[in-house]
Amino acid sequence: MSEALRIGIAGLGTVGSAVVRLFVEKAEMLIRQCRCPLQIVAVSARHRRRERNINLDSFIWYDNPEELAASADINVFIELIGGESGSAYRAVKLALEAGRHVVTANKALLAHHGVELAQLAESKGLLLNFEAAVAGGIPVIKILRESLSGSKTSRVYGILNGTCNYILTQMEEKELSFQECLKNAQDLGYAEADPSFDIEGNDTAHKLALLTSLAFGTVISLDNIYVEGIRNISLVDIRTADELGCRIKLLGVAVKTNTGIEQRVHPIMVPTSSAIAQVKGVTNAVAIETDLLGELFLSGAGAGGNATASAVIADIADIAKSHPGFQHGPVFGIPANTLKPYTKSKTRAHTGGYFIRLSVQDRIGTFSSLTKRMAENDISLESIVQRPAAETQTMHESKTVVLITHQTTEATLRKALTAITQDGNLIDKAQMIRIERYC
Ligand code: HSE
């Protein structure tokens, strides 16, 4: 039997409280599975007296998470504070320096400091587990880190933010505006404290950066992700997508190209018949394409107390099951100091069909000038139609025009859109949504 685990938890929000409650409920099962005594001995949170429906009496209380991290009371530190720097960063670093294994659900922290923290953990022979940081309860980190040895990954993509997927699903099913759906998501407690993190795509980008590193063995490269959120998606876009046999999803995509790795987060029209289009509400999904396995598709609860706590507890159990003195597996699958430098694929190399929504002046010649600019740039159009005005469109003399292109490159399309904008026909910024057929 391995050494007893003495666990300290910093952060008792929804996830931290669920971890404490589930530990009590499942203590016997965990001890049987891990064949090792494991118990929470200390906790830390911002407010000691807040109502959490859990009994904290038997735990040592720390006002300061950094003191808990380095304390001799514990040998495993669970960081559920959140935030890319500040207390979470200092506490994790202190815990590793003091020789404590670490479990964290903090995607922002790892997206910014993951390689540094992994090197520190590995140099000390410690585990730094982070299953809960990506896609809530879906065990995708373990799969990428441990289960695909021998396979070569070519693409990873997924719905990594429950709030955005909930909003897009509600817009489609209830015909509600973006703002109404965002308010519902906030009322239900799905969104981050600052919901712009969800809807602008940053939360998805943090999670994608970690998946990319695991999938391709490169250093984490958050700055090289093209990020576009869902704030500008209107009901016209959702309805037109439906008519085209598509749904709009906010996807994080990482692809290995001939020139490097392409990472992007943006709304994508995917065929309604695809597996990813069936993922609704706060559910998350990740697809991994490899040479040996084809596409592996995982979906499940991406947020919420129990689902995220399930991943935290599985990470703790992995620490309990590891043998003392045994060389632990590297944090990102290969030793952190051997992760390859990140090579960004050539910008604008992305090729595909595009949905373009334009708010144009309602006057003679507008259609012909739009098609002329497309033709000048060798862009073949699948269709061009006039639609009812977008709900955000107020000017009486304006009209909504939707163009669907055949395969073209993003650079070519942007060139055509610049020319269209310069022609002075547009009332608003053009909406461009990529149509992906690989899903
Ligand atoms: N706000 C996140 C989401 C929660 O909506 O998916 C977990 O990262």
Side-chain angles (χ1 to χ4, degrees):
M1 191 181 275
S2 312
E3 187 194 359
L5 291 200
R6 289 171 284 112
I7 299 158
I9 301 184
L12 292 174
T14 313
V15 178
S17 301
V19 171
V20 172
R21 183 176 42 76
L22 291 172
F23 239 88
V24 175
E25 283 173 26
K26 296 182 182 287
E28 269 183 40
M29 188 182 89
L30 280 167
I31 290 172
R32 253 198 335 270
Q33 284 179 350
C34 301
R35 293 183 296 132
C36 152
L38 61 178
Q39 118 187 76
I40 298 172
V41 295
V43 292
S44 171
R46 209 176 298 159
H47 306 289
R48 186 168 188 169
R49 308 251 161 259
R50 174 184 275 173
E51 188 43 67
R52 298 181 174 92
N53 291 321
I54 46 172
N55 186 353
L56 302 178
D57 293 348
S58 57
F59 308 138
I60 306 163
W61 177 270
Y62 281 82
D63 284 325
N64 183 347
E66 293 163 48
E67 273 174 34
L68 167 60
S71 138
D73 293 333
I74 63 164
N75 51 17
V76 177
F77 178 65
I78 316 294
E79 185 274 306
L80 301 171
I81 305 166
E84 70 178 65
S85 48
S87 206
Y89 172 70
R90 289 192 300 271
V92 167
K93 212 166 159 184
L94 281 168
L96 293 171
E97 281 164 354
R100 318 283 175 248
H101 296 292
V102 171
V103 173
T104 178
N106 191 336
K107 58 253 163 177
L109 171 73
L110 293 177
H112 286 273
H113 306 289
V115 176
E116 175 205 343
L117 294 172
Q119 280 173 346
L120 178 56
E122 287 164 22
S123 71
K124 298 256 183 188
L126 297 165
L127 284 164
L128 168 57
N129 286 349
F130 60 97
E131 190 63 75
V134 181
I138 303 175
V140 62
I141 303 299
K142 200 176 177 89
I143 287 177
L144 280 171
R145 186 162 53 193
E146 296 171 27
S147 315
L148 295 174
S149 305
S151 292
K152 208 165 164 194
T153 303
S154 49
R155 187 195 314 265
V156 184
Y157 66 93
I159 294 173
L160 304 174
N161 185 271
T163 302
C164 288
N165 205 48
Y166 172 84
I167 291 173
L168 294 170
T169 307
Q170 288 277 304
M171 284 176 79
E172 183 188 343
E173 292 184 349
K174 304 263 163 57
E175 301 239 318
L176 296 173
S177 71
F178 171 80
Q179 284 303 337
E180 287 170 293
C181 297
L182 171 60
K183 165 109 192 7
N184 292 348
Q186 284 175 296
D187 291 346
L188 289 164
Y190 297 149
E192 298 284 313
D194 175 357
S196 64
F197 254 76
D198 296 295
I199 60 182
E200 305 295 358
N202 299 318
D203 180 72
T204 301
H206 286 146
K207 294 166 180 168
L208 182 69
L210 302 180
L211 294 182
T212 304
S213 175
L214 284 157
F216 303 118
T218 57
V219 295
I220 298 162
S221 188
L222 185 64
D223 292 343
N224 282 310
I225 305 183
Y226 172 80
V227 185
E228 199 184 292
I230 62 164
R231 200 188 278 280
N232 295 328
I233 300 293
S234 77
L235 278 173
V236 173
D237 302 329
I238 302 259
R239 287 185 198 125
T240 313
D242 185 46
E243 285 163 22
L244 290 166
C246 291
R247 284 209 173 105
I248 300 175
K249 296 289 183 191
L250 181 81
L251 298 190
V253 183
V255 200
K256 195 154 199 184
T257 74
N258 293 337
T259 56
I261 295 168
E262 178 183 319
Q263 295 183 98
R264 47 199 171 84
V265 172
H266 51 74
I268 295 184
M269 283 194 188
V270 295
T272 310
S273 57
S274 61
I276 201 105
Q278 312 308 318
V279 177
K280 295 190 177 175
V282 281
T283 308
N284 280 196
V286 185
I288 306 167
E289 289 178 10
T290 73
D291 56 350
L292 302 183
L293 197 58
E295 182 175 290
L296 176 66
F297 190 81
L298 307 155
S299 78
N306 278 358
T308 314
S310 151
V312 172
I313 290 173
D315 274 351
I316 297 171
D318 274 354
I319 294 172
K321 288 175 200 163
S322 64
H323 298 284
F326 189 78
Q327 184 66 43
H328 295 303
V331 178
F332 289 97
I334 55 174
N337 55 14
T338 67
L339 289 167
K340 288 173 280 181
Y342 180 92
T343 311
K344 191 181 178 198
S345 76
K346 257 199 185 148
T347 39
R348 308 287 182 229
H350 178 253
T351 305
Y354 291 82
F355 161 102
I356 314 292
R357 171 168 54 81
L358 305 171
S359 292
V360 298
Q361 306 272 7
D362 187 13
R363 62 181 178 215
I364 293 168
T366 302
F367 261 39
S368 70
S369 91
L370 298 180
T371 50
K372 183 169 153 254
R373 292 303 186 190
M374 290 292 170
E376 272 171 12
N377 286 284
D378 272 337
I379 298 172
S380 160
L381 289 177
E382 187 175 313
S383 76
I384 172 165
V385 283
Q386 191 164 308
R387 307 286 312 168
E391 66 268 27
T392 47
Q393 207 171 302
T394 48
M395 285 180 66
H396 185 60
E397 62 279 18
S398 69
K399 287 282 177 279
T400 295
V401 175
V402 173
L403 296 94
I404 310 292
T405 77
H406 285 128
Q407 288 271 112
T408 184
T409 66
E410 191 150 335
T412 313
L413 189 75
R414 287 190 182 275
K415 210 167 139 221
L417 287 178
T418 304
I420 288 170
T421 308
Q422 283 164 355
D423 287 341
N425 289 319
L426 298 191
I427 286 166
D428 220 342
K429 206 170 157 260
Q431 166 76 301
M432 176 183 96
I433 304 177
R434 296 141 186 101
I435 305 172
E436 300 276 7
R437 299 285 174 195
Y438 58 77
C439 298

